[in-house]
Amino acid sequence: MIKNLTLLIFLTLSFFFTYSQETYNSANMLVSKADLENTIYKKDSTANAFFIYEKGFSRVENGGNYDLLTDYEAKIKILNEKGFDQATVSVLLFKNKSGKEQFDDLKAYTYNLENGEISKTKIEKKNIYTEAYDENYTLVKFTFPNVKPGSVLTYKYQLASPFMYKFNGWDFQDDIPKLHSEYIADLPGNYIYNIKLVGTLKLETNTSTILKKCLEVSSGGHADCSHNVYIMKNIPAFKEEKYMTAKENYFSRIDYELKEFKGFDGTNKKYTETWENVDNKLKKEVAIGVQLKKLAITKGILPDSIKATPNDIKKAKKIFRYISSNYTWNKKNKIFKDVNINEVIKEKVGNVSGINILLHNILKQQKFTVHPVLLSTRNNGYATKIHPVISGFNYLIVQLSIDNKTYLLDATEKTLVFGEVPFRCLNQYGRLLDFKNGSSWIDIKPKQISAHFFKEEIVLNEDLKISGKAKHLYSGYHSHFKRKKLEALGENHFLNNIKNQDPEITITDIHIKNKNNYDKAIEFEFDFTRDDVSKIDDILYLKPFTKSFFKQNPFKLNQRTYPIDFGYKDTYTYLVSIELPENYEFVDIPKNSLYQIPNKLGQLGISFQKNPKKLIITHRITFNSSYYPTEYYSILKEFFNLIVNIENDILIGVKKKS
């Protein structure tokens, strides 16, 4: 029987946005009695606080210092004591040698309802703190007094910044919900910005009009402004969950980056460059281009047994294994600083660039075709593709081309399958540096499907206890993770952890295969006994699976506003045979089932095949994509519910023959 999971679940999302919330005043900063009387937020029953209203307005000061001014105001409802952390607000102020941002005109009040009347308490100066955050930021922090469940907090302030290249962006989404978030930006025509709307949530208002002569200078020059109004309503909180990359990739916001400045005196300065210019700079960069030229010093590194072999894929693998086994990563990602191949060779320790440029140089010195690849790791956010932003990269790997195939290599991890990069690097794409033909974008995607494969032979003994033999195989990234853990804990500790995972299972005679053969699946073979047979009336019930792939559903949110990114494609297979004593028979066997994710993006199935002596069970889960858009969240959530039910709730009925 085939059951297709459909997209009808999205009706719940529509329902989410159609709830009426007319009792809160989300039109302005005025605190109404209803704002204070209401104690729930219907759109999100888990919310502890939320923004009723929020607004920002950024523009250039006309006259004076021509600073970038931003007025900010917000009104927050505290629903319960867990929302009290919203009563402390922090503002970061940027500074460097040329100037610093200023924080002024704070007006902040706590509103409560007392004896049916609205009261307000002003923040005193003693509740406002300024402290150093780091070398580039100062932190202003203030805490509201007299906060209770039901309070409404209002505050407004102005920021003055001399840094026009850092035009304020705007975060529509936060870790608490918002009813209304509005941002106004007046952009002078002589400042040209790259403007990027990030996230999946839609703007309710997005308008742009022209303001004539909004910026004038003493010399008589002037510029018109584009007056931009952005409004988003009913914004869900951004809640982090498993299988996501950096939060910055997804939460809804507007970003600005200065592209070009046109002076009133006719000068013209470009702030963003072409990739051709960036390639030329990287070619001369001490930490990148200069180090990539150091081929001669690598001649004596490889043993003669490797150098003497033909230049084929086997030799490339030997070189990769030699470097990854003999040189240690210091856990630092630096790619534009502290990179010196000479020191890496001498100390046998280096950062990401040091280790991988050494690998690049040795392969190139041995006449292989290789190129460095810049990328941004999963926790660092996506690198910008629209135009070069070198600061967005924080990692370097190597691409090897041989026999019309390409392999991505990272020698910082010796337990990786050859041709795969660490999980931290699986962030969609990277920039391949080719200083002769020009750089280009390439996909950073695993070529192999990672897999679990469990095979168990179970026997129900005369004493009604279960004994069995198991073989558990892990390939791809699963083998890498197992080997990393094995390496960190040591074999005895690692195996003891396996033995002690479940008090109802006794594991004996366990041993490991392919522990150090990193290009093969790692295998664990063991014998086991189980004492988990239950009896109702005259029927015995057996659990078919000794171990579940998923004990619980990783997806728990009512709504997720960002995609699911597993990093790699995955399969899980469980083959079980159950053998009964001669005087017993199977009486209650579940039906075969098959569930599919739409567009052939995944499948979950379980089948039962009975022969005279045994029951053969095949359970398989397949994820045919590593990346699922936001609209698949409800489908995957239900998909995992089905997995958990199959693996943890299915029982096989057995009884004595009459």
Side-chain angles (χ1 to χ4, degrees), residues 238-242 244-245 247 557 560 562:
F238 187 93
K239 298 178 182 179
E240 296 189 38
E241 197 178 46
K242 288 191 73 173
M244 61 175 283
T245 53
K247 174 183 175 181
L557 298 178
R560 175 162 161 160
Y562 49 92

Side-chain angles (χ1 to χ4, degrees), residues 290-325:
V290 173
Q291 303 305 315
L292 289 167
K293 295 175 184 176
K294 294 182 177 181
L295 305 184
I297 61 171
T298 67
K299 287 183 179 179
I301 290 177
L302 294 176
D304 291 339
S305 59
I306 295 178
K307 288 192 288 188
T309 57
N311 268 31
D312 54 17
I313 191 65
K314 291 182 181 179
K315 181 175 182 178
K317 287 183 178 181
K318 288 178 181 178
I319 293 173
F320 172 77
R321 294 295 173 204
Y322 184 83
I323 300 302
S324 62
S325 298

Side-chain angles (χ1 to χ4, degrees), residues 487-517:
E487 186 179 56
L489 295 178
E491 187 167 328
N492 288 337
H493 190 179
F494 180 87
L495 294 180
N496 283 334
N497 281 354
I498 294 177
K499 291 177 181 179
N500 298 326
Q501 279 181 352
D502 191 329
E504 292 185 336
I505 302 171
T506 301
I507 292 176
T508 57
D509 195 25
I510 183 170
H511 56 279
I512 307 172
K513 287 186 177 180
N514 299 326
K515 183 173 73 171
N516 298 317
N517 191 344

Side-chain angles (χ1 to χ4, degrees), residues 566-597:
F566 293 114
Y568 48 86
K569 296 178 182 179
D570 223 343
T571 65
Y572 299 80
T573 303
Y574 214 136
L575 299 181
V576 180
S577 68
I578 302 176
E579 185 176 347
L580 303 180
E582 286 293 333
N583 56 337
Y584 279 82
E585 63 182 342
F586 295 102
V587 294
D588 189 1
I589 299 173
K591 294 180 179 179
N592 296 347
S593 298
L594 183 67
Y595 306 88
Q596 295 180 339
I597 298 175

Side-chain angles (χ1 to χ4, degrees), residues 65-66 82 186 189 195 234 277 289 301 307 313 348-349 403 409 423 428 469 530 541 547 550 598 609:
N65 296 322
Y66 298 99
K82 291 181 179 179
D186 287 351
I195 304 172
N234 300 318
N277 290 338
I301 290 177
K307 288 192 288 188
I313 191 65
K348 292 188 179 293
V349 175
D403 298 331
L409 305 176
F423 181 75
Q428 305 295 330
K469 293 183 176 294
R530 284 172 26 195
Y541 288 97
K547 179 183 177 70
F550 298 96
Q609 182 181 355

Side-chain angles (χ1 to χ4, degrees), residues 186-368:
D186 287 351
L187 303 176
N190 57 326
Y191 289 89
I192 302 173
Y193 292 90
N194 289 311
I195 304 172
K196 181 170 65 173
L197 179 64
V198 180
T200 59
L201 301 180
K202 304 300 182 184
L203 289 165
E204 183 160 311
T205 299
N206 182 3
T207 62
S208 182
T209 55
I210 300 298
L211 295 178
K212 294 291 186 180
K213 295 186 178 181
C214 69
L215 180 61
E216 298 180 281
V217 295
S218 56
S219 61
H222 66 270
D224 298 337
C225 288
S226 63
H227 177 72
N228 305 280
V229 180
Y230 309 99
I231 298 174
M232 197 176 282
K233 295 185 178 182
N234 300 318
I235 308 165
F238 187 93
K239 298 178 182 179
E240 296 189 38
E241 197 178 46
K242 288 191 73 173
Y243 306 120
M244 61 175 283
T245 53
K247 174 183 175 181
E248 290 74 19
N249 292 335
Y250 309 123
F251 77 94
S252 293
R253 68 187 191 278
I254 290 177
D255 285 339
Y256 295 88
E257 184 181 44
L258 186 59
K259 179 180 179 181
E260 186 178 351
F261 170 71
K262 297 179 179 179
F264 294 111
D265 59 357
T267 58
N268 191 3
K269 183 176 181 180
K270 294 184 182 295
Y271 286 83
T272 57
E273 300 183 89
T274 64
W275 271 111
E276 185 178 0
N277 290 338
V278 170
D279 288 347
N280 287 331
K281 287 184 178 181
L282 289 176
K283 188 176 181 179
K284 301 170 186 175
E285 169 68 42
V286 172
I288 302 289
V290 173
Q291 303 305 315
L292 289 167
K293 295 175 184 176
K294 294 182 177 181
L295 305 184
I297 61 171
T298 67
K299 287 183 179 179
I301 290 177
L302 294 176
D304 291 339
S305 59
I306 295 178
K307 288 192 288 188
T309 57
N311 268 31
D312 54 17
I313 191 65
K314 291 182 181 179
K315 181 175 182 178
K317 287 183 178 181
K318 288 178 181 178
I319 293 173
F320 172 77
R321 294 295 173 204
Y322 184 83
I323 300 302
S324 62
S325 298
N326 289 280
Y327 293 82
T328 303
W329 177 40
N330 62 13
K331 306 300 181 184
K332 295 180 180 178
N333 286 4
K334 296 177 181 177
I335 59 173
F336 299 113
K337 187 179 179 183
D338 301 333
V339 183
N340 189 314
I341 301 306
N342 303 63
E343 292 183 6
V344 175
I345 294 171
K346 179 182 177 182
E347 304 293 334
K348 292 188 179 293
V349 175
N351 58 26
V352 161
S353 277
I355 298 294
N356 284 330
I357 290 179
L358 176 62
L359 173 65
H360 168 280
N361 290 2
I362 289 176
L363 286 167
K364 191 169 184 178
Q365 196 274 330
Q366 291 293 306
K367 308 303 181 185
F368 286 97

Side-chain angles (χ1 to χ4, degrees), residues 460-462 464 580-586 654-658:
L460 179 66
N461 301 306
E462 293 287 351
L464 304 184
L580 303 180
E582 286 293 333
N583 56 337
Y584 279 82
E585 63 182 342
F586 295 102
V654 173
K655 69 179 293 188
K656 209 167 190 176
K657 293 178 181 177
S658 36

